[in-house]
Amino acid sequence: MKREQFGRGSILNYIIALAAIFALNFILPRLMPGDPLHAIYGDEALVAMTPEMERSLIREFALDRSWIDQLQAYLMGLSHFDLGYSYYYKDQVSSVIMGALPWTLLLTGLALVIATALGIILGIESGYRRGELLDRCIVASLMFLSGFPDFFIGILLLLLFGVALGIAPLSGAITPYAGLEGFGYLEDVIGHLALPLSSLVLVQLGGIYLLTRNTIVSLMGESFILTAKAKGCSEFSIKYSHAGRNSLLPVTTATGLRIPHLLTGALFIEIIFSYPGVGSVLNTALNARDYPLIQGILLLITVAVLTANLIVDLLYSRLDPRVRYAH
Amino acid sequence: MLQIKDLKVAFGEAEVLRGIDLDLDAGDSLSVVGESGAGKTTLGLCIMGLATGRVSGEVRFKGKDLLKISEEDFRRMRGREIAMVFQNVEDALDPVQRIQDQIAEAIHIHNNATATDVELRAKKLLLSVGLNGDKARAYPHQLSGGERQRVLISMALANDPDVLILDEPTASLDALTKADILKLFRSAIAGRISLVITHDLSLAAGLTEQMAVLYAGRIVEVGRTDELLSDPRHPYTRGLIRSYPGMTMTKDLQGIPGRMDHCLEGCPFHKRCTQRIEICRIKVPQLRKIDGRLIACHRGGIVPLLEIRHLHKSFDSCFALCDINLTLYEGETLALVGESGSGKSTLSRVIMGLYDQDRGDIILEGQEVGKRDAAFFSRVQMIFQNPKESVSHRMNVLDAVLEPLNVQKKGDREERLIRAKEVLDCVELPFSDDFLDRYPHQLSGGEVQRVAIARALALGPKLLIADEPTSALDPSVQAKILKLLMDLQEEMGLAMLFVTHDIALARKVSDRIAVMLKGQIVEMGATNEVLSHPEHSYTRRLVDCAKSYQRDSKEINQRPDRDSNPG
C-alpha cells in the first residue's frame, strides 16, 4: 500500500515535470530577441518585402496568433507526435531531426562508451597504484585536460591534426560526392568521426576517471578487499571483479548525471567540426529563430536525458543487489 | 612450524611492531591480546603477507621465509596454507556477489576443478558451517552478522589451511550468536596453528591454550591462557584483566593510567607502569622465562611488596597470631577478613611496628624489616577506622598533612607546602586557605578521612594499611572513599592491606582475600574464587551471613501481594 502511494506520487511528479518542460520548451525560444522573419530573410530582404508577403508569411508561421493559441496548437500536435513544421528547412521538424539524429547518436553514443570504459579502466589501474608514478602522471594529465572547455579541445585538435598536420578532414561526417561504398564508406565515416569523437572523449574522460579512481582508492581499504587478498585472488581479479565491480555503482550514477553535459558538449563539438548532427541543426534553428525546430530538439534532448536516467536506474539495480532487493 | 623472529613493521617513522618472537607448532592455539593499536592486526597481516609498512625480520613457515618469497608464490599460499578471517563482519564480504560465488572463488583459485564441482564443494562448505542451500544464493546484505561470520569461516576453511588467523572474530556479534560461533571456531581451529587476535579475554580463554600479551608492538607476557588470566604477572596483563568486565570478577573495574605511546625508549610500558625503576626508562626488557612463562619486565613481573613469613605473636600466654604467611604484591589489594578478635588488627599493628613479633619475618620490597625507621614509614602508611580520632583535633588540615613531611624533614617549607597541596588534590579536597585553616570538628566524617588519606599519601608510600577505613562513615561517603582508594591504586600502584569484617565490602575492593580465625589464616586466595567456592567452614559461615541480607529481602519479595489477597 505504501509502495502504491509512492508510485502514484512519483507519476504525478513526472507529469508535473513534463508539463513544466513543455512550457519551458515553448516559452524559452520565444523569449529570445528578434523574430523568425528577420532571422530568416535578413534586414535587407525585409525592406524589399511587400506588406502582403510579410502578412502571408506571418500567417504561414502562425505568428499572428496569440501565445495561448500557439501553445494549444503545439500541445495538440504533440499529442499525436507531430512536432510541427520547420520555418527554415520547410519540412516536418521530425524528419529534419531524424536526418541529423543518427550522426549525433553515433558521436555521443561512441563517446559515452569509450569515455566510460577508458575512464573506468584508467581509474581502476591508477587507483590501485595510488601514489605511484603512473598514477600521478595520469591524474595530472587528465586533471589538466578536463580543465578545458569542450570547444577549446575541439579547436585545438582541429588546428593540430586537421590544419597543421592535415591528416584529418576539417569538417562534415562523410566526404561529399565521393560515392564510397562498403569498407571505404566506413573508413571515411571513421576518419571524419575521429577528431570530434576524440575531443568529446577527452573532455568526458576526466570526470569518470577521477570518480573511479577515488572510489577504488577508498574501496582498497575495505575489508572485503582484504578478504579477497587473503583468499589468494590474483591482482587482476582483485582489481576488476572485486574493486572494479563495486566501483561501477557510483560511476554509473555519475555517468547518468553526465549525459546532459555530454549532449551540450556534442552541440559545441558538432558546430566546430560542422558535423551534421542535431547540434548543428539546433545551431541553425537558433540562428533562424525556428521556434518549432528549437522546441522539437529541446524536447528530444529532454526525453533523451530522462531515458538515460531511467536506464541508469535499471542498470543500477542490476549492478547492486542491495538496490534490487530493497523493495 | 610457524616461527616468527624479530619481526618489525614500521609505517614511516612509527614502528608498529618492534621485534616479535613467536614459535608455533601444529595444533597450537595462541591468542594475541592487547589494547587497540598494540599491533595485533598488523601481526596477523604480516603472517598473511598483507602488511603494508616496512617489514623486517623473519616469518618462517614450513622452512620458507615468507618475507623473502615472491608475491606470486605468496599469493598461491594465501587461503591455501594460511587463511585469515578479518574483523568487521559488516563489510568483509563483497557486497555485490553471491556468497556461494565468493566461496567458490576461494576454492577455484587454488584448485583445477570444474565449475559444477566447485559449486558443489562451496555448498558443502556452507552446510558444514550451518548454512543451508537457500542461503547459498543470497547476497551478504541479506544475511545476519552471525551468518556472515559463518560464511567468512567457511571461506577461510575452503582449502583446509594449516594456519588460521582470526582477527576479532566476534567483535560485532551479540552474546547468543557469539556462543554459537564460538563452537564453530573451536572445531575450525582444531589441529591447525591458530592465532586469535582479540581484546575479548573471555573469547581468548574459550578458544586458545596459549596467550600472548602485546603492548605497543612488543610482547610483554606469554603463557598458558588459564594461568595468565588467573595469575597475571606483567603489570600490563593485570591492568587488562582489571579493565575487563568478567562475570566472575567481583572487584570494581579499574583501568590502566595513561595511554599507549609507541615511540618510547626502554620498556614500552614504563610510562604507565607503577613499579618502574630507572632501568625501565633506558633498556628494553627481553622476554625471559620466569616460573614457566615468558615475561618481559626488568622487575620480573609484578613485584611482591610485602612478605610475611611464619609470623607469631602472643600476649602473655594468649596466642594472637599464629604462623601467618602472606604475600602482598604491588598494586594489589588484600582483604583481611574475620570476626572481631581474630587477629586482623593485631597483624596490621605488628606490620606497622606498634607491636613486636615473637617470631617470624616481615620483608618489605625484599628487605627484612627491623627497626621501623623513617625510610620504612615513607613506604608504609596506615589509615584508621575513626578519622576524627586519628587526626589530632588540635591540628588544622594543613598542619595534619604537613606533619609527616615535617617529621621526616622532607625539603624546605615551600616544597612541603606544594606537596601538601598536591596530595590534597589527589584526595579531591580543596586547598583554599579557608579550607586549610579548618579543624577536624569543622569537617564532615568523609572529609576528615580524606585528610587522613592525604596525610598517609604525603610521603609517597607504596603500601597502605587500611584498618576498617570506612566503617565509621555512612554508605554514600564510604562509596566515595573506596572509589578514591581504588583510583589511587590504579594511578600509583598502591598496595593495600584492607582490614575489614565486611565481606561484601571486601568483595568489591580486593583482588585477594585472607580469612582469619583465632590468629590464623584459614583460607586465602583470589577474592572471587574464595567467595564463590569457600572451602573452610568458617569462610562459608562468613559468606552465608553476608548473604543473609539478600535472602531476607528475597523472602520479603516472595510474600504474597497485599492487593491480591481477597478482603
Side-chain angles (χ1 to χ4, degrees):
Chain A
M1 179 170 169
K2 205 169 179 185
R3 207 172 135 193
E4 210 173 324
Q5 281 172 351
F6 169 77
R8 213 177 287 161
S10 69
I11 286 172
L12 191 69
N13 281 344
Y14 267 100
I15 292 173
I16 293 170
L18 222 58
I21 288 164
F22 285 150
L24 278 176
N25 265 353
F26 179 79
I27 295 166
L28 278 181
R30 285 168 174 75
L31 289 180
M32 290 194 299
D35 65 87
L37 290 186
H38 277 92
I40 298 171
Y41 301 106
D43 288 338
E44 283 173 37
L46 277 181
V47 173
M49 197 183 282
T50 62
E52 287 77 35
M53 280 170 74
E54 190 177 341
R55 257 198 299 282
S56 81
L57 273 173
I58 288 178
R59 202 171 318 116
E60 191 185 322
F61 292 169
L63 293 173
D64 54 344
R65 291 159 69 184
S66 70
W67 275 28
I68 299 295
D69 286 347
Q70 289 184 37
L71 177 64
Q72 206 177 357
Y74 169 62
L75 289 176
M76 285 304 286
L78 271 183
S79 66
H80 43 274
F81 301 104
D82 178 7
L83 293 176
Y85 192 79
S86 164
Y87 305 155
Y88 181 83
Y89 287 96
K90 308 269 189 240
D91 196 355
Q92 285 294 321
V93 167
S94 49
S95 51
V96 173
I97 292 178
M98 285 318 285
L101 192 59
W103 295 116
T104 300
L105 280 183
L106 181 70
L107 179 64
T108 52
L110 269 181
L112 186 67
V113 169
I114 294 175
T116 309
L118 203 60
I120 289 174
I121 291 173
L122 282 178
I124 289 175
E125 293 296 335
S126 164
Y128 189 77
R129 291 180 176 74
R130 183 196 184 181
E132 289 176 26
L133 186 66
L134 181 70
D135 170 47
R136 275 186 281 171
C137 288
I138 302 180
V139 172
S141 48
L142 283 186
M143 288 279 267
F144 182 71
L145 272 178
S146 62
F148 291 120
D150 330 45
F151 58 86
F152 185 75
I153 300 245
I155 292 169
L156 221 59
L157 287 182
L158 192 64
L159 284 177
L160 185 64
F161 293 100
V163 179
L165 298 174
I167 52 172
L170 288 175
S171 69
I174 45 169
T175 316
Y177 314 116
L180 292 165
E181 273 180 21
F183 189 71
Y185 179 75
L186 193 67
E187 208 176 11
D188 190 43
V189 168
I190 293 174
H192 279 87
L193 192 61
L195 283 191
L197 183 61
S198 311
S199 21
L200 259 189
V201 166
L202 281 179
V203 174
Q204 293 296 319
L205 190 60
I208 295 166
Y209 159 77
L210 280 179
L211 181 68
T212 312
R213 180 184 173 274
N214 286 357
T215 314
I216 292 287
V217 164
S218 60
L219 280 173
M220 289 317 287
E222 294 279 335
S223 295
F224 72 86
I225 294 295
L226 217 52
T227 306
K229 285 183 182 170
K231 279 199 274 192
C233 286
S234 64
E235 198 177 50
F236 182 84
S237 145
I238 287 168
K239 277 193 288 196
Y240 288 91
S241 75
H242 290 284
R245 224 177 122 178
N246 274 279
S247 76
L248 284 184
L249 309 174
V251 171
T252 308
T253 313
T255 308
L257 293 174
R258 293 185 75 83
I259 285 175
H261 182 219
L262 178 74
L263 293 177
T264 53
L267 178 79
F268 285 113
I269 295 292
E270 282 180 6
I271 294 166
I272 289 164
F273 290 95
S274 311
Y275 204 76
V278 178
S280 295
V281 175
L282 179 64
N283 186 37
T284 314
L286 282 170
N287 286 333
R289 304 292 186 273
D290 192 343
Y291 299 149
L293 189 54
I294 298 173
Q295 279 163 212
I297 292 175
L298 290 184
L299 190 69
L300 175 78
I301 291 175
T302 317
V303 172
V305 169
L306 284 179
T307 317
N309 280 342
L310 183 69
I311 292 172
V312 164
D313 272 349
L314 293 176
L315 210 61
Y316 201 81
S317 70
R318 275 307 308 158
L319 288 171
D320 192 345
R322 285 165 295 191
V323 174
R324 204 182 316 159
Y325 292 99
H327 303 303
Chain B
M1 203 155 65
L2 180 69
Q3 280 173 304
I4 298 173
K5 272 190 209 142
D6 197 31
L7 180 67
K8 287 179 184 165
V9 179
F11 295 102
E13 287 297 296
E15 276 196 309
V16 179
L17 292 181
R18 310 176 68 179
I20 301 289
D21 295 283
L22 281 175
D23 206 335
L24 295 167
D25 272 322
D28 281 358
S29 55
L30 175 82
S31 49
V32 180
V33 299
E35 286 164 292
S36 313
K40 308 187 295 283
T41 301
T42 309
L43 176 61
L45 288 176
C46 269
I47 300 171
M48 288 300 288
L50 295 174
T52 42
R54 266 184 292 114
V55 184
S56 67
E58 245 179 65
V59 179
R60 282 202 168 276
F61 177 64
K62 291 183 172 171
K64 283 177 287 188
D65 186 352
L66 297 186
L67 299 184
K68 299 229 162 55
I69 64 175
S70 74
E71 172 56 29
E72 183 56 24
D73 288 343
F74 212 142
R75 187 186 69 74
R76 279 180 225 281
M77 282 178 65
R78 259 178 234 141
R80 192 159 62 90
E81 294 180 68
I82 308 177
M84 184 162 177
V85 175
F86 295 95
Q87 58 185 334
N88 231 340
V89 183
E90 289 310 308
D91 36 48
L93 287 165
D94 190 334
V96 301
Q97 296 191 24
R98 297 182 194 280
I99 56 168
Q100 182 190 313
D101 297 344
Q102 298 192 40
I103 293 169
E105 188 186 24
I107 301 168
H108 186 72
I109 294 164
H110 300 292
N111 295 282
N112 271 325
T114 60
T116 44
D117 195 26
V118 168
E119 198 185 314
L120 208 69
R121 279 180 62 185
K123 281 201 170 119
K124 245 191 231 166
L125 268 169
L126 279 172
L127 271 181
S128 73
V129 295
L131 289 176
N132 56 17
D134 52 313
K135 294 278 184 199
R137 294 188 53 75
Y139 287 94
H141 72 277
Q142 295 169 310
L143 303 179
S144 69
E147 286 169 332
R148 270 179 254 180
Q149 189 60 278
R150 284 169 197 274
V151 174
L152 287 168
I153 298 165
S154 68
M155 200 142 69
L157 296 181
N159 296 293
D160 193 19
D162 299 313
V163 179
L164 182 62
I165 303 168
L166 305 173
D167 187 2
E168 298 285 8
T170 58
S172 48
L173 303 179
D174 65 87
L176 291 178
T177 315
K178 196 172 135 183
D180 280 348
I181 294 283
L182 203 63
K183 271 186 223 144
L184 189 62
F185 278 135
R186 254 187 230 133
S187 63
I189 66 174
R192 305 177 208 278
I193 295 180
S194 56
L195 209 68
V196 180
I197 294 163
T198 184
H199 54 243
D200 182 345
L201 297 179
S202 73
L203 175 78
L207 274 183
T208 58
E209 297 279 308
Q210 303 268 316
M211 179 182 269
V213 182
L214 203 60
Y215 184 82
R218 289 187 206 276
I219 291 179
V220 294
E221 189 169 3
V222 187
R224 286 181 52 84
T225 306
D226 49 350
E227 285 174 11
L228 218 71
L229 290 176
S230 63
D231 179 26
R233 295 290 301 275
H234 194 280
Y236 179 62
T237 315
R238 181 175 69 186
L240 273 186
I241 295 169
R242 278 186 174 172
S243 357
Y244 186 79
M247 282 302 281
T248 52
M249 196 160 117
T250 56
K251 196 183 184 186
D252 276 344
L253 292 184
Q254 279 173 301
I256 305 169
R259 62 169 70 181
M260 197 184 314
D261 192 341
H262 269 278
C263 304
L264 284 184
E265 294 291 310
C267 173
F269 189 60
H270 81 257
K271 270 217 169 137
R272 302 169 77 180
C273 184
T274 49
Q275 58 170 26
R276 60 174 174 260
I277 47 177
E278 196 50 33
I279 190 169
C280 301
R281 224 159 37 77
I282 304 158
K283 207 169 151 233
V284 180
Q286 296 303 312
L287 274 176
R288 282 182 294 153
K289 197 142 195 131
I290 302 171
D291 303 338
R293 83 171 70 149
L294 292 169
I295 300 169
C297 179
H298 285 303
R299 309 204 58 182
I302 301 164
V303 289
L305 201 68
L306 177 74
E307 291 167 272
I308 292 173
R309 301 273 168 263
H310 309 295
L311 191 75
H312 291 263
K313 170 74 189 167
S314 55
F315 295 109
D316 302 326
S317 61
C318 168
F319 273 116
L321 295 173
C322 182
D323 198 20
I324 300 291
N325 287 291
L326 59 82
T327 308
L328 179 59
Y329 286 93
E330 196 266 356
E332 178 192 65
T333 305
L334 175 67
L336 215 51
V337 298
E339 64 193 14
S340 314
S342 58
K344 310 181 304 262
S345 294
T346 313
L347 178 58
S348 54
R349 279 173 201 170
V350 170
I351 295 168
M352 285 306 282
L354 301 176
Y355 304 139
D356 284 332
Q357 70 261 40
D358 300 340
R359 263 187 294 140
D361 304 315
I362 298 174
I363 299 157
L364 183 73
E365 295 180 309
Q367 306 262 317
E368 166 93 48
V369 176
K371 195 172 157 290
R372 307 300 194 272
D373 51 10
F376 177 84
F377 287 115
S378 70
R379 304 303 281 161
V380 184
Q381 281 287 323
M382 188 159 179
I383 51 176
F384 298 90
Q385 180 172 359
N386 194 336
K388 295 221 170 173
E389 286 173 16
S390 67
V391 178
S392 167
H393 62 274
R394 286 191 202 84
M395 287 185 176
N396 64 17
V397 171
L398 184 63
D399 291 336
V401 179
L402 278 177
E403 192 188 16
L405 296 166
N406 288 335
V407 169
Q408 297 229 359
K409 301 192 176 57
K410 286 260 161 104
D412 56 28
R413 169 121 193 117
E414 274 303 292
E415 285 165 2
R416 287 178 206 167
L417 206 63
I418 291 169
R419 176 71 190 154
K421 286 183 178 173
E422 252 173 43
V423 289
L424 281 170
D425 195 32
C426 267
V427 300
E428 293 155 23
L429 282 178
F431 41 83
S432 59
D433 289 338
D434 169 53
F435 186 81
L436 294 178
D437 275 340
R438 289 198 201 170
Y439 285 88
H441 69 272
Q442 293 172 300
L443 302 172
S444 70
E447 282 173 326
V448 188
Q449 191 61 297
R450 279 174 200 264
V451 173
I453 295 170
R455 184 177 61 178
L457 292 179
L459 292 167
K462 282 301 276 184
L463 172 61
L464 192 64
I465 297 173
D467 189 354
E468 300 275 11
T470 56
S471 56
L473 305 173
D474 67 70
S476 74
V477 180
Q478 163 170 298
K480 282 183 195 142
I481 295 286
L482 290 175
K483 229 170 132 53
L484 173 69
L485 286 175
M486 303 255 287
D487 288 347
L488 291 172
Q489 177 170 65
E490 180 186 320
E491 265 160 51
M492 309 176 180
L494 209 57
M496 267 191 274
L497 193 65
F498 199 94
V499 179
T500 182
H501 56 253
D502 187 342
I503 293 271
L505 187 66
R507 182 174 167 273
K508 294 302 285 179
V509 299
S510 65
D511 301 278
R512 290 191 303 136
I513 196 165
V515 184
M516 287 191 76
L517 173 66
K518 292 178 186 159
Q520 282 179 307
I521 293 181
V522 293
E523 189 166 359
M524 181 155 68
T527 305
N528 54 356
E529 294 282 319
V530 171
L531 296 185
S532 51
H533 310 290
E535 281 182 3
H536 196 275
S537 58
Y538 179 65
T539 317
R540 266 200 295 277
R541 268 179 55 211
L542 282 179
V543 173
D544 282 347
C545 291
K547 277 182 180 164
S548 67
Y549 152 71
Q550 273 189 330
R551 204 176 292 150
D552 286 350
S553 63
K554 211 182 260 169
E555 273 164 16
I556 292 167
N557 284 339
Q558 278 166 356
R559 274 181 208 154
D561 235 352
R562 208 173 279 181
D563 294 345
S564 64
N565 278 346

